[in-house]
Amino acid sequence: MKEEQLQKLKNKLSELAYLNSANSLLHWDQEVHMPDSAVEARSKASSNLSKLIHEKFTSEEFEQLVKEANKSMEEDKLTDEEEAIVREVCREFKREKKLSSKFVEELTEVTSQAQEAWKQAKQEQDFSVFQPHLEKIIELKRKEAELVGYDDSPYDALLDTYEPYMKTSELESVFSELKDFLVPFLEQIQQSEAEIEDGLLDQEFPIEKQKEFSTEVIQEMGFDLDKGVVEESVHPFTLSLHPSDVRFTSKFQRDDLQMSILSTIHEAGHALYEQGLPAENFGTPLAEAASVGIHESQSRIWELMVGSSSEFWQNFYPKLQEKFSGQLEDYTYQDFYKAINKVEPGLIRVKADEVTYNLHIILRFELEKALIEEEIEVDQLPELWNQKIKDYLGIEVPSVSAGVLQDIHWSLGNIGYFPTYALGTVYAAQFYKTAQDEIENLDKKITNGNFKEFRGWLRENIHIHGKYYKPKQLTKQASGEELNCQHFISYLKYKYSKLYDLD
Ligand code: MG
């Protein structure tokens, strides 16, 4: 009896998952191939499909299955795997039920107008164009928090969408420790006598060669091109239709070799996670990423700990030299390694180095949390933003476009998302430290271009579990510790003390 019911639930979940894949494919095509003329038609195709999925997910039939499954769980009749499935499905179902379709429609309407306003405001360098739209979004997001419910801060309810089970207070304690380290550490780096010469990156590198090189790198990393596709788009992203069909995009710029290579490695890290999820559980939470922050850890661990390391470039630099014959022959791999790791506080988050990057995130988190908790108002944002940039990075913001208006996230209504970028790095450093402890001579293996064991470690400790464990348990299980920023701090100290001759 029980098994039959659970099987019915799984069948429904699988049906929903395939519909979601179809919707993802529409989105992929929109970003990669679609003619501009199709924007409206595509948005209708996609919203109709989303509506259908939502209706099926919140139907009485589905609700009945969820209730019965929940009952079985409470009566302790399920295996651990089944429990994880039911736990996560109930969670999502409850959240979805609490938000009326009227609310969801209003949010969609408001954010779609806000995106246009944001573009215009950014172009005209005029915050007041965006301000009323953001005010409306904040109001709706506060309402969302009330509808969903929370214990301590309304921000908890929003953060939970991206980083399940994490509390704002936990995030705050990790971030404040990180900030207390980063701000003086950055000053120390800036006061160092050591100068890093990065002129070698100031060249134009043929796009075709960049692509060839990047393809070699992602194949070495272990991205399976028989079960995936790589193309180009304006903003690189990764999307999975199924573990047998994982796609990501890169962006290649003639004058930005570093960005082209490292963002490809970043997305390939996301893609490896998706390829490593257990296909046999497709449709259930067991084949879904644990959280957005954990997902980001898989991209950052490859991009930073591996792809920006001296070991990695010791192996790949001669190949890079060969690819761009003549352009790099006057420079050694150490020159290249130093150049790509140069620390320089800047205004733009996506161009930030790994020392300053998380300060960009922390300031966004502090501001959006204060907005949701009604401690500040939207009209104060530009000034508060500029002050924080000055306090944390020591620089002046010349315009709102390079300041408070630089990111698209708030216009999309994605409040609670920014922290996952910093969490990704913190998780990544913690996982990397454990991998170093558990894999014999990992550094040497990376110097030899041998990623097999490292990839296997990630797969075994992170990927194959999907959502079986809550992010907290997964972290503990994989690294033996609760989430903490000590490993990231040690990683930065070790790496940058050498680069900048610090004591
Ligand atoms: Mg990412």
Side-chain angles (χ1 to χ4, degrees), residues 69-302:
N70 196 36
K71 196 163 156 254
S72 304
M73 181 166 75
E74 279 165 2
E75 289 167 359
D76 231 359
K77 288 181 185 163
L78 304 182
T79 66
D80 290 347
E81 293 213 329
E82 290 167 344
E83 252 185 46
I85 295 174
V86 176
R87 179 191 78 216
E88 292 305 319
V89 172
C90 282
R91 221 179 97 78
E92 207 192 323
F93 181 78
K94 278 185 199 154
R95 187 179 178 103
E96 196 109 352
K97 268 290 197 187
K98 285 176 182 165
L99 304 173
S100 64
S101 2
K102 195 171 152 267
F103 175 82
V104 175
E105 273 164 35
E106 190 182 357
L107 188 62
T108 308
E109 178 67 36
V110 166
T111 52
S112 93
Q113 285 176 17
Q115 282 164 64
E116 291 310 309
W118 168 74
K119 277 182 210 155
Q120 193 195 337
K122 191 172 176 178
Q123 205 169 17
E124 293 171 5
Q125 311 205 6
D126 182 358
F127 185 72
S128 70
V129 175
F130 182 50
Q131 189 184 318
H133 296 270
L134 186 56
E135 280 166 354
K136 189 73 194 150
I137 287 174
I138 296 300
E139 189 190 316
L140 285 171
K141 284 284 154 177
R142 282 182 190 144
K143 192 173 167 193
E144 181 178 323
E146 295 305 324
L147 290 170
V148 171
Y150 55 85
D151 292 330
D152 305 318
S153 163
Y155 191 83
D156 286 344
L158 305 177
L159 176 64
D160 195 68
T161 329
Y162 308 105
E163 204 58 24
Y165 308 99
M166 184 170 276
K167 290 270 183 275
T168 309
S169 54
E170 296 170 279
L171 195 56
E172 265 183 318
S173 85
V174 174
F175 282 4
S176 79
E177 196 180 344
L178 195 52
K179 188 167 85 176
D180 289 347
F181 166 75
L182 288 174
V183 174
F185 188 62
L186 176 62
E187 277 169 23
Q188 217 188 331
I189 287 175
Q190 288 186 290
Q191 281 157 12
S192 148
E193 304 270 294
E195 283 287 337
I196 288 184
E197 182 49 60
D198 64 349
L200 74 160
L201 293 170
D202 251 344
Q203 306 184 50
E204 304 240 319
F205 296 90
I207 299 271
E208 275 317 306
K209 301 274 177 196
Q210 290 191 24
K211 286 187 196 169
E212 286 168 22
F213 180 76
S214 297
T215 306
E216 284 164 31
V217 173
I218 62 171
Q219 280 181 298
E220 293 290 326
M221 284 170 65
F223 178 72
D224 186 348
L225 280 163
D226 292 328
K227 293 179 177 174
V229 174
V230 188
E231 297 208 46
E232 284 171 68
S233 68
V234 184
H235 303 286
F237 70 103
T238 300
L239 179 151
S240 170
L241 307 181
H242 186 272
S244 65
D245 186 356
V246 176
R247 297 152 183 238
F248 73 90
T249 64
S250 294
K251 180 185 179 185
F252 298 102
Q253 279 176 277
R254 284 183 72 84
D255 60 355
D256 202 341
L257 178 68
Q258 176 179 358
M259 181 73 118
S260 303
I261 297 173
L262 290 175
S263 76
T264 304
I265 295 176
H266 179 101
E267 296 307 324
H270 280 304
L272 281 172
Y273 189 5
E274 292 290 341
Q275 286 190 333
L277 289 167
E280 67 275 16
N281 293 317
F282 179 72
T284 78
L286 299 179
E288 288 168 13
S291 73
V292 178
I294 299 283
H295 220 309
E296 188 69 2
S297 78
Q298 298 308 289
S299 57
R300 294 293 264 177
I301 207 166
W302 282 102

Side-chain angles (χ1 to χ4, degrees), residues 190-463:
Q190 288 186 290
Q191 281 157 12
S192 148
E193 304 270 294
E195 283 287 337
I196 288 184
E197 182 49 60
D198 64 349
L200 74 160
L201 293 170
D202 251 344
Q203 306 184 50
E204 304 240 319
F205 296 90
I207 299 271
E208 275 317 306
K209 301 274 177 196
Q210 290 191 24
K211 286 187 196 169
E212 286 168 22
F213 180 76
S214 297
T215 306
E216 284 164 31
V217 173
I218 62 171
Q219 280 181 298
E220 293 290 326
M221 284 170 65
F223 178 72
D224 186 348
L225 280 163
D226 292 328
K227 293 179 177 174
V229 174
V230 188
E231 297 208 46
E232 284 171 68
S233 68
V234 184
H235 303 286
F237 70 103
T238 300
L239 179 151
S240 170
L241 307 181
H242 186 272
S244 65
D245 186 356
V246 176
R247 297 152 183 238
F248 73 90
T249 64
S250 294
K251 180 185 179 185
F252 298 102
Q253 279 176 277
R254 284 183 72 84
D255 60 355
D256 202 341
L257 178 68
Q258 176 179 358
M259 181 73 118
S260 303
I261 297 173
L262 290 175
S263 76
T264 304
I265 295 176
H266 179 101
E267 296 307 324
H270 280 304
L272 281 172
Y273 189 5
E274 292 290 341
Q275 286 190 333
L277 289 167
E280 67 275 16
N281 293 317
F282 179 72
T284 78
L286 299 179
E288 288 168 13
S291 73
V292 178
I294 299 283
H295 220 309
E296 188 69 2
S297 78
Q298 298 308 289
S299 57
R300 294 293 264 177
I301 207 166
W302 282 102
E303 177 198 351
L304 305 177
M305 285 83 206
V306 178
S308 304
S309 71
S310 125
E311 290 81 8
F312 181 89
W313 286 105
Q314 198 176 333
N315 170 52
F316 275 104
Y317 188 69
K319 297 170 192 173
L320 193 71
Q321 278 179 313
E322 200 184 319
K323 192 61 77 186
F324 299 103
S325 46
Q327 285 189 270
L328 294 168
E329 66 189 7
D330 294 341
Y331 307 97
T332 64
Y333 87 85
Q334 286 99 334
D335 295 332
F336 186 79
Y337 165 70
K338 284 181 186 171
I340 63 168
N341 286 292
K342 183 171 180 166
V343 175
E344 216 162 23
L347 294 164
I348 307 300
R349 172 182 65 87
V350 296
K351 294 198 167 161
D353 55 77
E354 64 185 333
V355 175
T356 55
Y357 186 86
N358 288 328
L359 290 169
H360 286 271
I361 298 305
I362 291 169
L363 86 86
R364 284 157 175 77
F365 160 70
E366 290 172 342
L367 292 174
E368 63 180 25
K369 175 183 168 284
L371 284 169
I372 295 299
E373 291 181 346
E374 297 185 77
E375 279 170 16
I376 60 169
E377 295 296 331
V378 171
D379 64 1
Q380 295 172 271
L381 273 184
E383 206 192 317
L384 289 170
W385 182 288
N386 297 355
Q387 188 57 50
K388 282 182 189 289
I389 287 282
K390 175 105 184 117
D391 292 346
Y392 303 168
L393 301 172
I395 51 179
E396 300 285 345
V397 180
S399 79
V400 282
S401 305
V404 68
L405 288 176
Q406 69 182 268
D407 301 294
I408 195 173
H409 302 60
W410 288 341
S411 76
L412 298 167
N414 292 346
I415 314 280
Y417 191 98
F418 278 125
T420 66
Y421 289 127
L423 283 174
T425 318
V426 175
Y427 283 128
Q430 193 165 333
F431 294 149
Y432 197 71
K433 174 68 176 68
T434 317
Q436 278 180 317
D437 290 344
E438 293 180 3
I439 301 170
E440 208 181 337
N441 296 323
L442 177 59
D443 292 352
K444 190 132 189 267
K445 282 170 181 149
I446 288 176
T447 311
N448 293 330
N450 175 4
F451 303 121
K452 196 162 167 270
E453 274 175 73
F454 177 62
R455 184 174 63 249
W457 190 92
L458 293 176
R459 194 153 279 200
E460 211 173 293
N461 287 281
I462 314 285
H463 305 175

